[in-house]
Amino acid sequence: GAGVSQSPSNKVTEKGKDVELRCDPISGHTALYWYRQRLGQGLEFLIYFQGNSAPDKSGLPSDRFSAERTGESVSTLTIQRTQQEDSAVYLCASSLLGNGNSPLHFGNGTRLTVT
Amino acid sequence: EDQVTQSPEALRLQEGESSSLNCSYTVSGLRGLFWYRQDPGKGPEFLFTLYSAGEEKEKERLKATLTKKESFLHITAPKPEDSATYLCAVQAGFQKLVFGTGTRLLVSP
């Protein structure tokens, strides 16, 4: 079956530009997560959507970062005025329940390079 | 605050040389402990979920075990294709999944 799809797979942008990253979760999954992975480092939590509840935004590193999710479908992560330190792989994941009883299924990420 | 610590950071094995990876955790109200495998350029791939102390799960050459403070991923007679980064994560209820920094495993033929 279809997994989590992320687009674009690669994005090169100039410092100061805005970027929008897209995530299509697995159909029927109520929970959606965004993580960031810098080169050679672990996964850094950014934001978590669970059904119609208010999202957990506690991992967003600055107000330049925002994310939206339409119902239980597509999510977009927007980074405004990109900086070089934003260069990383941005990973999206979805899970059926989001309560620890169902695993996260990850996409292959968007590799963002800010020049 | 929930924390996950994995060791060693890197591990090099000869093909057929069994070993174990460690994941120590602190979390309030553990609902699930997850093991993932990540290959270069790919997203993490789900391996196991463990829910309670004493639980064990197996898949091919991998076996995951769980105690109240840590989890082990045992690799029996590894092959070169088992080379990857292995990630451990914990989740407490409807909360974010907290990951360790992973163990990079290299299995040489």
Side-chain angles (χ1 to χ4, degrees):
Chain A
V4 176
S5 177
Q6 292 188 246
S7 60
S9 55
N10 282 284
K11 176 73 176 177
V12 180
T13 190
E14 293 180 353
K15 177 182 173 181
K17 300 284 190 182
D18 297 352
V19 295
E20 190 172 279
L21 313 180
R22 178 186 169 104
C23 173
D24 284 275
I26 294 172
S27 178
H29 281 197
T30 65
L32 187 146
Y33 308 74
W34 284 96
Y35 285 84
R36 178 169 70 178
Q37 189 171 34
R38 289 194 168 113
L39 187 63
Q41 297 188 21
L43 274 70
E44 177 188 358
F45 168 75
L46 296 178
I47 188 168
Y48 163 43
F49 296 90
Q50 173 61 52
N52 295 320
S53 302
D56 176 356
K57 303 180 181 180
S58 62
L60 294 178
S62 76
D63 59 8
R64 296 187 295 106
F65 288 72
S66 63
E68 293 183 348
R69 186 181 187 194
T70 307
E72 292 186 355
S73 60
V74 171
S75 176
T76 55
L77 177 68
T78 301
I79 309 174
Q80 297 178 311
R81 305 181 301 282
T82 52
Q83 304 294 313
Q84 288 186 330
E85 62 263 27
D86 299 334
S87 295
V89 175
Y90 290 82
L91 290 163
C92 174
S94 68
S95 74
L96 184 61
L97 298 174
N99 64 351
N101 286 347
S102 57
L104 272 64
H105 298 271
F106 283 84
N108 284 328
T110 293
R111 181 176 300 277
L112 176 65
T113 304
V114 182
T115 62
Chain B
E1 185 173 328
D2 301 344
Q3 284 192 325
V4 178
T5 303
Q6 292 188 246
S7 62
E9 288 187 9
L11 180 62
R12 188 164 191 160
L13 300 173
Q14 291 294 314
E15 184 172 4
E17 179 187 1
S18 302
S19 189
S20 296
L21 313 182
N22 178 264
C23 170
S24 298
Y25 64 92
T26 55
V27 62
S28 298
L30 177 73
R31 290 298 297 271
L33 183 142
F34 302 87
W35 281 98
Y36 286 85
R37 168 190 172 130
Q38 187 174 26
D39 292 296
K42 301 285 187 181
E45 174 188 352
F46 169 70
L47 293 173
F48 303 108
T49 309
L50 300 168
Y51 296 107
S52 57
E55 189 174 3
E56 299 184 352
K57 289 198 176 166
E58 291 189 59
K59 180 180 180 180
E60 296 182 353
R61 295 176 293 281
L62 300 177
K63 182 170 81 171
T65 63
L66 181 65
T67 72
K68 288 185 177 180
K69 293 184 178 181
E70 57 191 351
S71 177
F72 291 93
L73 185 65
H74 307 277
I75 304 176
T76 302
K79 298 181 177 181
E81 53 262 40
D82 294 324
S83 298
T85 296
Y86 291 85
L87 300 169
C88 172
V90 295
Q91 188 168 21
F94 287 97
Q95 297 182 29
K96 64 190 179 188
L97 202 65
V98 177
F99 280 85
T101 53
T103 294
R104 294 190 312 279
L105 174 65
L106 178 62
V107 182
S108 302

